[in-house]
């Protein structure tokens, strides 16, 4: 790393232990180490004690950590070229969906960084993020190379991961509604409304981060255009979700209901109440998206004091070619979809199962439903 000390460093387990001692009880670096370790301490801080630390906030932005060489490669391929903390943008153009991540730092073993078959350094060169010929040219993030013992000392547990990366959680900058309305639904004008076929997925109170990560990976595999999370869903950017998604949390636009609570200037200035998932689903239906609630059995329905339940259809009878655009709704691992959400949908849909089997795991159900619905629909380009 000669000539590249401004953005890259090799770190030993002794370096990490010295930094830990200097951090003290408050977890903040002191002046008890030299300038080199003070700088490195800041670079590796987001990776410290990952099991005990939720996503770190930096001002109004949150950090997330991706684990594994392929998720890190995906971050390198998709990352924004500008420094993470120097450009915030206003998210108004919505041209890139989802917004590209901004890399903060990469923590990597020597072999996957320098050598084939992984060779993350070559990936960075191919993206013109670094140049071996020009040591002055530096990427907008830091690179820390360390062996397995040093990485384990940093993260707080035995880690065999070849690489980890820290980045800023992509944000729509108070413009999520406009990005969904214009960028995904294709409503750039009233005349263009309904001109695009869209496949969406909505999740109601999914609380297991591993399940969420698996569903996001499945959604990416079937070309789902956006995933909408109710406020009761867990954090898609929690490290377990990011890891299980194999980095595909970066490839599918994710909207939380809370992010959609905005005045809809793009639709004539009319204020729309998108304060919960049922209202969001009714809003989607109003814009030509057919909403289907996945249920376990034919008796699963809304409360008796609510209107007539939506009609029930078996997955094998889903006529995808007759549905321009749709949104599949999946529910909580234990309780399924709430009655209010079911009532907000056009139809209920279920997977036929043999006697004696009452349900699938949530990720398996998601895969079966999405495969069946996409297979019976025109393929999305």
């Amino acid at each position: 790393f000669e000539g590249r000390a401004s953005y890259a460093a090799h770190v030993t387990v002794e370096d990490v232990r010295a930094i830990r001692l200097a951090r003290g009880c408050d977890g903040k670096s002191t002046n008890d180490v030299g300038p080199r370790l003070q700088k490195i301490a800041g670079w590796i801080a987001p990776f410290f004690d990952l099991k005990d630390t939720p996503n770190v906030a930096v001002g109004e932005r949150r950090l997330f950590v991706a684990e594994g060489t392929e998720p890190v490669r995906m971050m390198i391929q998709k990352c924004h070229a500008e420094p993470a903390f120097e450009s915030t943008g206003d998210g108004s153009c919505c041209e890139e969906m989802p917004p590209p991540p901004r890399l903060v730092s990469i923590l990597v073993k020597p072999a996957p960084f320098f050598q084939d078959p992984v060779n993350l350094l070559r990936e960075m060169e191919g993206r013109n993020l670094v140049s071996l010929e020009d040591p002055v040219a530096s990427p907008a993030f830091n690179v820390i190379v360390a062996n397995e013992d040093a990485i384990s000392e940093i993260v707080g547990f035995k880690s065999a991961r070849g690489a980890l990366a820290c980045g800023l959680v992509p944000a729509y900058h108070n413009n999520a509604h406009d990005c969904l309305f214009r960028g995904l639904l294709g409503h750039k004008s009233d005349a263009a409304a309904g001109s695009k076929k869209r496949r969406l997925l909505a999740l109601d109170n999914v609380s297991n981060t591993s399940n969420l990560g698996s569903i996001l990976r499945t959604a990416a595999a079937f070309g789902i255009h956006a995933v909408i999370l109710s406020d009761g869903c867990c954090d898609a950017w929690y490290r377990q979700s990011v890891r299980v998604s194999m980095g595909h949390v970066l490839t599918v636009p994710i909207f939380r209901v809370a992010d959609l609570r905005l005045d809809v200037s793009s639709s004539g200035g009319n204020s729309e109440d998108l304060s919960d998932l049922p209202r969001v689903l009714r809003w989607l239906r109003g814009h030509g998206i057919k909403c289907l609630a996945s249920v376990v059995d034919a008796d699963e329905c809304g409360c008796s004091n609510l209107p007539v339940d939506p009609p029930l259809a078996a997955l094998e009878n889903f006529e995808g070619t007759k549905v321009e655009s749709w949104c599949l709704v999946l529910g909580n691992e234990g309780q399924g979809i709430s009655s209010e959400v079911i009532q907000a949908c056009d139809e209920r849909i279920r997977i036929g199962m043999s006697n004696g089997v009452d349900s699938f795991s949530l990720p398996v159900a998601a895969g079966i439903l999405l495969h069946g619905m996409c297979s019976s629909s025109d393929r999305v380009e």
Side-chain angles (χ1 to χ4, degrees):
F1 293 119
E2 184 177 353
R4 295 175 174 82
S6 63
Y7 69 88
H10 176 261
V11 178
T12 67
V13 67
E14 290 76 19
D15 290 334
V16 180
R17 288 170 180 167
I19 291 171
R20 277 195 175 276
L21 287 173
R23 279 164 60 92
C25 297
D26 61 359
K28 297 179 180 179
S29 183
T30 69
N31 295 325
D32 294 338
V33 294
R36 172 181 169 272
L37 290 188
Q38 285 187 45
K39 178 175 61 179
I40 293 173
W43 293 357
I44 64 177
F47 301 107
F48 267 117
D49 301 322
L50 287 181
K51 281 189 175 181
D52 304 325
T53 308
N55 291 5
V56 178
V58 179
E60 297 181 353
R61 302 294 297 275
R62 293 186 303 135
L63 298 175
F64 72 97
V65 172
E67 301 169 71
T69 54
E70 290 312 303
V72 172
R73 184 194 303 279
M74 194 175 294
M75 285 188 68
I76 292 171
Q77 292 171 344
K78 294 184 173 295
C79 74
H80 202 291
E82 297 178 7
F85 301 107
E86 293 182 14
S87 176
T88 57
D90 60 8
S92 59
C93 65
C94 300
E95 292 178 353
E96 295 186 75
M97 298 293 289
R102 295 180 187 273
L103 263 170
V104 175
S105 53
I106 294 175
L107 177 61
V108 60
K109 293 180 184 178
F113 187 66
F114 293 108
Q115 300 172 12
D116 292 335
V118 179
N119 205 326
L120 294 177
L121 177 58
R122 183 171 58 202
E123 192 76 53
M124 292 164 60
E125 287 185 282
R127 289 268 296 158
N128 294 320
L129 299 174
V130 297
S131 172
L132 294 182
E133 304 299 327
D134 182 8
V136 177
S138 63
F141 50 87
N142 304 308
V143 178
I144 308 104
V145 176
N147 64 21
E148 184 171 315
D149 289 340
I151 291 177
S152 298
E153 182 73 25
I154 292 170
V155 300
F157 55 89
K158 185 67 174 177
S159 176
R161 302 283 176 183
L164 302 90
C166 172
L168 287 177
V169 172
Y172 294 97
H173 302 289
N174 298 323
N175 210 23
H177 179 281
D178 192 57
C179 290
L180 178 62
F181 189 77
R182 293 177 180 270
L184 287 172
L185 302 187
H187 294 179
K188 297 184 182 301
S189 67
D190 291 340
S195 63
K196 291 185 177 181
K197 292 184 177 181
R198 287 294 178 246
R199 311 290 186 252
L200 278 69
L201 178 64
L203 303 180
D204 181 27
N205 293 331
V206 173
S207 58
N208 184 286
T209 53
S210 180
N211 284 347
L212 179 55
S214 181
I215 291 169
L216 291 172
R217 185 180 181 184
T218 301
F222 289 109
I224 298 303
H225 292 90
V227 174
I228 299 173
L229 306 179
S230 73
D231 288 343
C233 283
C234 55
D235 186 2
W237 297 97
Y238 191 73
R239 52 183 287 265
Q240 186 177 38
S241 175
V242 176
R243 182 177 70 248
V244 175
S245 79
M246 287 297 291
H248 284 288
V249 67
L250 298 166
T251 67
V252 182
I254 301 170
F255 297 89
R256 293 198 78 93
V257 169
D259 296 330
L260 297 172
R261 295 175 187 144
L262 294 173
D263 194 38
V264 191
S265 59
S266 59
S267 60
N270 297 320
S271 179
E272 294 182 337
D273 184 2
L274 302 180
S275 57
D276 54 32
L277 184 57
R279 288 181 172 88
V280 171
L281 294 174
R282 285 191 284 269
W283 176 76
L284 290 174
R285 292 172 62 185
H287 291 290
I289 309 293
K290 186 171 186 175
C291 296
L292 300 103
S294 61
V295 297
V296 173
D297 55 56
D299 297 327
E300 188 171 347
C301 58
C303 299
S304 58
N305 63 337
L306 291 175
V308 177
D309 299 307
L312 178 70
L315 174 60
E316 57 266 28
N317 296 328
F318 176 70
E319 297 180 329
T321 56
K322 296 182 180 180
V323 181
E324 185 77 8
S325 297
W326 48 257
C327 175
L328 172 66
V329 185
L330 298 171
N332 176 273
E333 294 84 352
Q335 288 73 44
I337 303 174
S338 68
S339 57
E340 293 80 8
V341 170
I342 291 177
Q343 291 293 329
C345 293
D346 295 283
E347 293 181 8
R348 292 171 293 152
I349 191 168
R350 67 184 296 270
I351 304 169
M353 290 174 276
S354 298
N355 292 334
V357 180
D358 60 356
S359 65
F360 292 103
S361 68
L362 185 57
V364 170
I368 293 172
L369 286 163
L370 289 176
H371 177 266
M373 294 173 69
C374 290
S375 295
S376 64
S377 304
D378 293 335
R379 286 292 179 183
V380 180
E381 295 183 358

